[in-house]
Amino acid sequence: MKTVNLKVKRFDPATRKSKFQDYQVEVDDSAAVLDAIIEVREYQDETLAVRCSCRSAICGSCAMRVNGHAKLACMTKVSSVSPNGETIVVEPLGNAEPVKDLVADMGPFWAKVKQVQPWLKPSLPAPDREYIAPQEAMQDLVGAVNCIMCGACVSDCTVLEVDKNFIGPAALAKAYRFVGDPRETQTARDERLSQLSKYGGIWDCTHCYECVQVCPKDVAPMERILDIRRAAVAAGFRDNNGTRHSDSFARSVKHTGSLDEFRLLPESLGLDDIAAQLKFVPTALRAIAKGKVPSPLHHKRPGAEHVTRIFDEMEKE
Amino acid sequence: MYQHDVLVIGAGLAGMRAAIEASRMGADVAVITKVHPVRSHSNAAQGGINAAMGGEGSDDTWELHAYDTVKGSDWLGDQDSIEVMAKEAPQDIFELEHMGVIFARDEFGRLATRAFGGASKQRTFYVGDITGQALLHVMYEQLLKAGMRVYEEWFVLSLIKEEGECAGAVAMNMMTGDIEVIRAKAVIMAAGGIGRVYEPSTNGLICTGDGMALAYRIGAPMMDMEMVQYHPTTLKGNGALLTEGARGEGAYLINKDGDRFMKKYAPNKMELASRDVVSRSEAIEIQEGRGVDGCVYLDCRHLGEKLIRQRLGQIAELALEFANVDIVKNPVPIRPGMHYIMGGIKTNADGASYVPGLFAAGECANVSIHGGNRLGANSLLETVVFGRRSGKAAVEFARSKAKPVRISETMLVEQQKAKIQKLMDQPYPGYTSARVRLEMGKIMDKHVSVFRTEQGMKEAGDTILRLMQQYHKLSVRDHGKVYNWNLFSTLELENMLDVAEATCMSALARKESRGAHSRLDFPDRNDKEWMKHTLVYKAEGGPKIDYLPVVITQWPPERRTY
């Protein structure tokens, strides 16, 4: 047995105020943070609210922030977050409104899952037996299907912090599960890729890796987002800032050996999209005033031809 | 007040499948659930789902599947229902595949199978070791596609019974504390199992027998409640489930001497004998001193890392996280642990209970597929086959009704309010609902478990009665309206105590050993007197026991060996 010191962020729905409350409980040496929380609510403070069920990292109920990062409380050992008896700080999921104590409002989370039309759109009529599909394709989807929709990735997503419109890592990983499914029709797949390429979709991820790091089931949502991007570009969905940004990036590096920052923004927006360009004029002016605008004169680096050659080799492959 | 043709209580696989079927038939359907649908415990099924598909290169037939199930049930399953399930299974598997389940494939891209306990042929379809999760999430996708009305995080307080028929439910919106009446022409109970009646259990904390208790209280009998399954491979420590699929893939059970002890108990099927047999064998090994710390071992080492990662990834993770064992390198300590209840609300093969208008499907129901012992991978199958059938039957029942409102809504709500207010007004008795539950769980695990005796079960029954009295003094100290766990867990305890009592009384009544009900004082199966179902009704002054004959179609009882 060992003593655990918990500092729990509690939200009172009546006053709509949050405060931290300290608890001390005795648990088994092998206990998870969830065991400590359950010990509190069962024997010390029955008013403490938390969602939890399976205790085996499969139901996805008990995602919360432990010492500042989203985790499944049931699979987070006390000994791993508090090796020397340090106080463990427990808070509800981020990027969500608290409902009561550790219970967060998952409504927006599910709304975004629904937004990607998360159901298979196979060719019809269905065969009498199963659709024939290669095991490799099914195995590839296991990674995404492993997602238990706990919300840890969404909690710690740095894009959602500033842009609530972002579909977010969980729903996009879910979308990959269909994009990558050989049973979907071409039409359905194209429609998905087209929708996902829009504002709020795959190109809004900034590759911060937080979701990959906090995912308790190794779904690696960001990798799934990159998978969808590759699929979208390959399928010809190129008319968007994300693809243009990536093209501009590659083009300048290929030909000059380094990034031409001056051209990056206008090329990402589309050189012919005057309206979009004009929107950035005030930002550009402020940047000029602060001396933050990169030089319009972009020089070829010595040895750039080698970079070009590498690009050519890669493109051949 | 809300009103629907069909109200489904519970959003696991059985509930969602029932709702989808009812919705396809054009009925106005709603689902009510105390947790978000994908949090349901169907998630926890790991190994797979059975069907005798036949087809090229396979000599499997529905009759063999049915026979294996009958034998697994120790001849307590109703053979007419078992035939229905075995015959309809392939079509339901194809439907799941069409819905999007990413079942494992063979080299031709067709559905692949793995071996499973108690089965004479390899007929278990699977998604790694996350089959339940894969199915549950796909069923939820279909629910979203259908645009189903879901009362999500609503807690059902009681069923409405009017003129002898079930007519809806009274429930609390857990997010606001508001109590509402939801009327329905037919209700489908699909609220899952009773795991928390036992401590420990492989089941989630939400498995509190709510559905059974609600049905029991409006007069629906429970059947074969003594039949409680102990799964042979639950993890030492937190009691987490390690799939039978591991043994299906070839893992061994060994004792402290490294001996594959199953050769003594089931020389033919070895580790893949049915669960009651394997759990008893383990219990004997442990009792006779050939275990370590109350456990024997599951040995996966010879399966190789690649197979383990691809097909048993989740249990590798569970063993590492919760027992600190790398199953690629070491045997993992396991023991029998409470896992499932074969018993439940007595229904026919269309899910109809003895109360008109009340249907049931999934673990809370007893269609009598599993009898005395459920075969692995038959439970997922049961949820989809009988979920679908009860959905259809409920709509047909609803169509025959034009139900006027009779009992006043205010009265229904006030009854529940008064009950809750009483819990809140009582002084703290010096113990919490969790303490009462723990005592119940421990006594059930001690005496109504793998091996049972008259004396032990009486002790358990007496303890439950005492705990029921303690329950009535409990105080709900959280008076808040929003997500009042204190209140819900107290109400769940009331449900669990009712179920525990029904289980104890049914177990005491059956004076023989059959399936999971293994009595040291009556060690043999007694077909002459006991090839019958136990029915238990809630009554004034304690549960009332009755019996019902087992339906035999083509498989008369045999000696059961594996």
Side-chain angles (χ1 to χ4, degrees):
Chain A
M1 297 296 277
K2 66 168 132 196
T3 305
V4 181
N5 294 298
L6 287 175
K7 188 184 262 308
V8 180
K9 191 172 190 182
R10 303 201 59 184
F11 176 78
D12 180 354
T15 61
R16 304 206 57 78
K17 288 208 169 88
S18 289
K19 61 163 199 236
F20 279 100
Q21 188 163 347
D22 295 323
Y23 297 101
Q24 194 174 69
V25 284
E26 298 283 313
V27 293
D28 274 352
D29 292 331
S30 62
V33 172
L34 182 64
D35 297 320
I37 294 169
I38 289 175
E39 185 68 19
V40 170
R41 81 166 183 184
E42 292 197 335
Y43 297 102
Q44 273 190 26
D45 184 350
E46 292 181 289
T47 68
L48 180 64
V50 58
R51 289 191 186 101
C52 54
S53 178
C54 75
R55 298 159 298 153
S56 307
I58 191 82
C59 77
S61 307
C62 71
M64 59 185 73
R65 277 186 171 162
V66 179
N67 290 345
H69 293 281
K71 290 179 187 299
L72 279 185
C74 72
M75 69 179 288
T76 305
K77 289 268 182 65
V78 165
S79 55
S80 74
V81 286
S82 167
N84 303 305
E86 297 90 339
T87 296
I88 302 172
V89 181
V90 182
E91 301 165 85
L93 287 177
N95 285 324
E97 293 297 315
V99 171
K100 181 182 178 189
D101 302 340
L102 299 172
V103 175
D105 178 10
M106 298 292 280
F109 175 91
W110 293 112
K112 286 186 173 164
V113 170
K114 203 170 172 181
Q115 196 185 328
V116 303
Q117 302 200 341
W119 48 82
L120 190 72
K121 299 176 179 178
S123 55
L124 294 172
D128 288 340
R129 294 175 65 99
E130 69 272 49
Y131 288 94
I132 302 298
Q135 169 62 11
E136 302 75 63
M138 295 290 111
Q139 190 65 35
D140 172 56
L141 295 178
V142 169
V145 166
N146 221 15
C147 173
I148 54 174
M149 296 279 155
C150 68
C153 57
V154 165
S155 160
D156 288 18
C157 173
T158 53
V159 175
L160 274 169
E161 239 170 79
V162 293
D163 184 1
K164 297 275 172 268
N165 193 55
F166 183 40
I167 297 173
L172 287 172
K174 182 84 177 170
Y176 174 73
R177 179 253 161 284
F178 301 103
V179 167
D181 195 313
R183 293 169 294 183
E184 282 240 325
T185 62
Q186 191 63 42
T187 323
R189 189 167 181 270
D190 285 349
E191 175 60 23
R192 284 190 199 280
L193 292 173
S194 158
Q195 286 298 327
L196 294 169
S197 297
K198 290 182 178 164
Y199 169 50
I202 46 178
W203 296 104
D204 288 27
C205 165
T206 59
H207 331 136
C208 74
Y209 275 91
E210 278 296 328
C211 61
V212 177
Q213 206 144 35
V214 300
C215 174
K217 303 298 284 187
D218 293 331
V219 173
M222 190 199 83
E223 303 287 349
R224 304 285 83 80
I225 294 172
L226 297 185
D227 286 338
I228 306 177
R229 282 187 189 175
R230 280 187 280 271
V233 171
F237 296 97
R238 308 184 58 91
D239 184 18
N240 53 66
N241 294 356
T243 309
R244 280 188 292 265
H245 180 86
S246 137
D247 285 349
S248 166
F249 210 109
R251 197 161 41 236
S252 65
V253 174
K254 177 179 175 182
H255 294 297
T256 66
S258 68
L259 176 62
D260 183 351
E261 288 186 75
F262 187 79
R263 296 181 67 88
L264 191 60
L265 177 69
E267 286 192 354
S268 299
L269 295 172
L271 290 174
D272 53 351
D273 191 343
I274 305 300
Q277 307 276 357
L278 284 175
K279 267 194 227 159
F280 276 89
V281 168
T283 315
L285 291 174
R286 279 202 305 277
I288 290 167
K290 304 245 176 189
K292 298 268 186 192
V293 170
S295 162
L297 300 170
H298 186 69
H299 299 292
K300 221 178 201 182
R301 287 289 175 90
E305 63 277 12
H306 296 300
V307 177
T308 311
R309 190 171 50 77
I310 293 169
F311 266 85
D312 287 339
E313 288 288 321
M314 297 288 289
E315 280 160 8
K316 248 186 265 165
E317 275 177 30
Chain B
M1 192 191 78
Y2 301 90
Q3 182 129 25
H4 303 280
D5 294 335
V6 177
L7 178 66
V8 181
I9 301 177
L13 271 173
M16 288 200 280
R17 184 63 192 83
I20 287 164
E21 191 66 17
S23 157
R24 279 181 189 166
M25 292 175 70
D28 166 14
V29 194
V31 178
I32 184 164
T33 167
K34 67 178 177 177
V35 294
H36 184 279
V38 308
R39 311 294 181 220
S40 303
H41 197 66
S42 307
N43 257 333
Q46 295 169 345
I49 176 165
N50 286 334
M53 206 69 94
E56 300 162 43
S58 163
D59 53 355
D60 201 6
T61 61
W62 73 261
E63 286 94 342
L64 283 172
H65 182 189
Y67 171 77
D68 290 342
T69 303
V70 169
K71 180 178 172 184
S73 82
D74 216 350
W75 278 269
L76 189 65
D78 282 339
Q79 297 180 8
D80 52 350
S81 299
I82 292 173
E83 287 189 11
V84 165
M85 182 178 79
K87 278 182 199 163
E88 296 182 359
Q91 227 30 65
D92 281 290
I93 305 284
F94 290 137
E95 184 182 58
L96 289 169
E97 198 276 331
H98 297 164
M99 285 175 173
V101 175
I102 55 158
F103 283 116
R105 307 284 163 151
D106 64 14
E107 70 257 48
F108 308 109
R110 300 205 179 110
L111 300 182
T113 52
R114 66 161 42 127
F116 235 64
S120 55
K121 301 284 171 194
Q122 183 167 311
R123 65 168 77 94
T124 303
F125 298 86
Y126 66 99
V127 181
D129 58 357
I130 57 164
T131 313
Q133 181 196 338
L135 264 57
L136 184 73
H137 283 247
V138 165
M139 203 61 83
Y140 177 61
E141 291 162 16
Q142 298 297 308
L143 203 74
L144 287 178
K145 187 180 169 192
M148 191 80 59
R149 169 78 161 102
V150 181
Y151 297 91
E152 187 185 306
E153 299 194 306
W154 282 51
F155 190 94
V156 177
L157 301 166
S158 71
L159 294 179
I160 304 168
K161 195 179 182 189
E162 282 176 349
E163 298 188 350
E165 295 188 358
C166 185
V170 183
M172 177 181 276
N173 178 342
M174 295 166 71
M175 290 302 158
T176 62
D178 295 335
I179 298 175
E180 305 277 0
V181 170
I182 307 171
R183 289 189 176 272
K185 294 175 185 169
V187 172
I188 302 173
M189 187 57 78
I194 66 150
R196 292 286 284 170
V197 170
Y198 283 73
E199 179 65 39
S201 159
T202 62
N203 289 190
L205 307 184
I206 59 173
C207 303
T208 54
D210 304 338
M212 290 189 203
L214 289 165
Y216 189 49
R217 282 187 208 126
I218 63 160
M222 304 292 116
M223 188 165 87
D224 303 330
M225 289 297 282
E226 66 276 26
M227 298 303 178
V228 175
Q229 180 165 79
Y230 272 65
H231 193 288
T233 52
T234 72
L235 199 57
K236 185 189 177 183
N238 79 343
L241 172 68
L242 301 184
T243 177
E244 185 168 297
R247 283 171 285 138
E249 298 291 349
Y252 302 145
L253 291 171
I254 56 175
N255 59 20
K256 73 165 186 197
D257 307 318
D259 222 11
R260 282 180 73 188
F261 56 85
M262 283 309 298
K263 64 178 179 273
K264 276 188 291 188
Y265 307 96
N268 298 315
K269 296 297 288 184
M270 298 287 286
E271 282 86 355
L272 289 176
S274 66
R275 288 179 176 172
D276 57 333
V277 174
V278 180
S279 283
R280 269 195 294 279
S281 310
E282 290 176 0
I284 293 169
E285 289 295 304
I286 294 163
Q287 265 166 24
E288 294 183 351
R290 291 185 295 277
V292 178
D293 275 348
C295 291
V296 288
Y297 294 102
L298 177 70
D299 187 355
C300 301
R301 290 173 294 181
H302 56 289
L303 301 180
E305 181 157 7
K306 185 171 172 231
L307 184 146
I308 290 174
R309 297 281 168 244
Q310 277 204 3
R311 300 193 198 163
L312 302 169
Q314 186 189 186
I315 69 159
E317 175 192 309
L318 287 171
L320 194 63
E321 283 296 326
F322 298 108
N324 205 18
V325 173
D326 179 356
I327 63 170
V328 174
K329 296 194 182 110
N330 291 299
V332 57
I334 50 89
R335 62 182 177 203
M338 189 280 172
H339 180 58
Y340 186 87
I341 184 160
M342 278 68 77
I345 303 162
K346 156 69 183 156
T347 72
N348 65 13
D350 289 324
S353 77
Y354 279 10
V355 174
L358 177 65
F359 296 76
E363 190 171 349
C364 73
N366 187 354
V367 196
S368 196
I369 295 305
H370 314 305
N373 170 69
R374 174 174 70 78
L375 292 189
N378 264 356
S379 60
L380 286 181
L381 179 60
E382 179 189 15
T383 65
V384 289
V385 172
F386 295 101
R388 170 173 54 73
R389 293 177 65 96
S390 62
K392 179 165 181 277
V395 171
E396 283 161 1
F397 181 91
R399 282 187 180 151
S400 70
K401 293 272 137 192
K403 197 165 281 181
V405 176
R406 297 192 184 92
I407 302 176
S408 96
E409 187 187 337
T410 324
M411 199 188 96
L412 289 166
V413 170
E414 289 308 317
Q415 270 174 359
Q416 297 303 322
K417 276 193 180 158
K419 178 178 161 183
I420 289 166
Q421 198 56 49
K422 178 175 170 282
L423 286 168
M424 290 188 174
D425 290 345
Q426 288 182 149
Y428 178 59
Y431 50 83
T432 64
S433 67
R435 214 275 291 130
V436 178
R437 191 208 67 85
L438 187 65
E439 193 176 346
M440 167 186 67
K442 291 213 158 143
I443 200 84
M444 294 297 285
D445 187 58
K446 189 169 172 197
H447 291 308
V448 199
S449 48
V450 176
F451 290 111
R452 304 165 175 189
T453 62
E454 180 89 8
Q455 196 192 356
M457 290 188 288
K458 274 196 174 137
E459 191 188 326
D462 292 346
T463 306
I464 300 300
L465 282 177
R466 179 168 55 76
L467 294 176
M468 283 175 150
Q469 284 160 9
Q470 291 192 1
Y471 171 82
H472 289 292
K473 295 189 188 128
L474 278 175
S475 165
V476 171
R477 290 180 286 174
D478 186 347
H479 293 184
K481 298 280 279 175
V482 178
Y483 208 91
N484 187 336
W485 176 82
N486 192 186
L487 172 63
F488 304 127
S489 69
T490 306
L491 296 171
E492 286 171 342
L493 176 63
E494 185 186 20
N495 293 338
M496 287 188 275
L497 285 164
D498 268 354
V499 170
E501 186 187 36
T503 296
C504 283
M505 294 304 124
S506 304
L508 271 165
R510 185 177 288 278
K511 292 184 170 42
E512 64 155 354
S513 287
R514 182 184 298 270
H517 181 67
S518 190
R519 289 186 64 151
L520 297 174
D521 44 358
F522 297 94
D524 298 320
R525 197 174 85 191
N526 177 354
D527 289 335
K528 216 169 132 224
E529 288 171 84
W530 286 101
M531 222 177 94
K532 58 186 178 186
H533 298 294
T534 324
L535 285 181
V536 54
Y537 290 85
K538 189 162 178 72
E540 291 290 326
K544 197 176 99 245
I545 299 285
D546 198 0
Y547 299 97
L548 198 68
V550 173
V551 178
I552 306 280
T553 56
Q554 47 176 314
W555 298 284
E558 297 166 17
R559 211 167 78 83
R560 181 171 177 248
T561 53
Y562 283 99

